[in-house]
């Protein structure tokens, strides 16, 4: 299938919102959605519970003669803390959710591709999903190994270079979001992880803009519950248009 017209990564992400409402796909959206909803609800409830204690601790560090500063801090620290939580933990929580729902995420990507192409997959149902768990978790581990050393380096920049470091961390998170969700359709076709990254790099603008959209929506309360299934659907649509023909030609060589 060739592109009818150029489409941005952002457009593919929004296509994911349409796909999760498609008849025949809704039941495959359910498990990723529930995993995301449960994990984000528990995580953000726990973190928000800690904010007041953390703010009080910071306030106690301020000397008495700077009492005016305490009043100022009490106004800005709470919303600032919420923003930091949303930015810093959006990818971390998404990664944990993807580990838990990995086999079902792959199944959702498979069904979306089937819907978009009209080609049926030869699968073995739920039994095949269980048998495939070790491989899918191994793929998640590969992504984690790729992520951790780079994240450590960018975290150092995050803390050492105000503003610039935060922008770089945000951009890195966007690229990792593209890798995370685009990998499901690639993995369904047994495309090796390095080959997948190389193909994303060849179309970096599309992939990166897709990751930016995922990252931004992952920071929006309520909406972030939908991000996992929406991103999987959008990434699969992008795979069908942008990468499937290329992968098919490589297999034919």
């Amino acid at each position: 299938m060739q592109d009818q017209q150029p489409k941005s990564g952002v457009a593919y992400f929004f296509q994911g919102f349409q796909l999760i409402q498609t008849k025949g796909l809704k039941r495959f959206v359910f498990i990723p959605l529930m995993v995301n909803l449960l994990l984000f609800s528990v995580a953000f409830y726990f973190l928000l519970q800690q904010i007041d204690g953390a703010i009080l601790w910071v306030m106690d560090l301020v000397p008495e003669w700077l009492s005016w500063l305490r009043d100022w801090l009490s106004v800005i620290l709470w919303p600032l803390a919420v923003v930091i939580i949303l930015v810093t933990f959006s990818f971390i929580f998404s990664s944990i959710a993807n580990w838990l729902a990995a086999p079902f995420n792959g199944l959702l990507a498979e069904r979306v591709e089937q819907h978009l192409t009209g080609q049926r997959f030869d699968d073995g149902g739920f039994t095949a999903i269980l048998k495939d768990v070790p491989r899918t978790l191994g793929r998640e581990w590969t992504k984690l190994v790729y992520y951790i050393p780079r994240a450590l380096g960018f975290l150092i920049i995050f803390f050492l270079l105000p503003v610039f470091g935060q922008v770089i961390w945000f951009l890195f998170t966007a690229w990792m979001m593209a890798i995370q969700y685009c990998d499901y359709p690639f993995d369904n076709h047994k495309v090796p992880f390095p080959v997948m990254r190389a193909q994303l790099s060849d179309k970096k603008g599309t992939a990166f803009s897709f990751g930016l959209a995922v990252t931004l929506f992952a920071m929006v309360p309520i909406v972030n519950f939908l991000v996992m299934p929406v991103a999987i659907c959008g990434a699969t649509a992008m795979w069908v248009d942008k990468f499937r023909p290329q992968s098919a030609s490589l297999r034919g060589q």
Side-chain angles (χ1 to χ4, degrees), residues 52 55-56 58-59 62 67-80:
D52 286 336
I55 290 177
L56 288 175
V58 172
M59 301 279 281
V62 179
S67 57
W68 60 271
L69 183 58
R70 291 188 180 186
D71 297 334
W72 181 72
L73 287 174
S74 65
V75 173
I76 68 166
L77 280 182
W78 212 95
L80 180 62

Side-chain angles (χ1 to χ4, degrees), residues 138-206:
R139 186 76 167 211
E140 292 299 318
W141 174 255
T142 299
K143 284 183 275 190
L144 190 63
V145 169
Y146 173 82
Y147 168 75
I148 288 176
R150 291 164 177 79
L152 292 175
F154 285 116
L155 271 176
I156 293 173
I157 298 174
F158 179 94
F159 288 111
L160 292 182
L161 300 177
V163 181
F164 177 77
Q166 286 75 54
V167 171
I168 292 297
W169 175 260
F170 178 81
L171 296 177
F172 168 66
T173 300
W175 177 244
M176 283 305 308
M177 287 291 193
I179 287 178
Q180 175 67 61
Y181 291 108
C182 290
D183 187 54
Y184 291 113
F186 277 95
D187 186 41
N188 282 343
H189 290 270
K190 308 299 189 293
V191 177
F193 185 72
V195 175
M196 183 271 297
R197 288 194 291 109
Q199 291 191 21
L200 289 183
S201 295
D202 288 342
K203 292 181 170 61
K204 186 170 288 185
T206 303

Side-chain angles (χ1 to χ4, degrees), residues 3-16:
D3 293 338
Q4 298 299 318
Q5 59 182 6
K7 188 186 291 188
S8 69
V10 175
Y12 282 113
F13 177 75
F14 280 105
Q15 186 178 351

Side-chain angles (χ1 to χ4, degrees), residues 54-122:
I55 290 177
L56 288 175
W57 179 78
V58 172
M59 301 279 281
D60 288 340
L61 296 177
V62 179
E64 195 66 37
W65 58 277
L66 287 176
S67 57
W68 60 271
L69 183 58
R70 291 188 180 186
D71 297 334
W72 181 72
L73 287 174
S74 65
V75 173
I76 68 166
L77 280 182
W78 212 95
L80 180 62
V82 172
V83 171
I84 291 174
I85 287 173
L86 291 173
V87 173
T88 305
F89 292 98
S90 60
F91 181 77
I92 296 174
F93 291 147
S94 295
S95 298
I96 296 172
N98 282 311
W99 270 81
L100 296 175
F104 300 99
N105 291 345
L107 179 61
L108 174 59
E110 177 184 300
R111 297 301 179 178
V112 171
E113 183 175 346
Q114 179 178 305
H115 167 75
L116 293 173
T117 63
Q119 298 179 0
R120 297 193 62 83
F121 283 75
D122 182 19

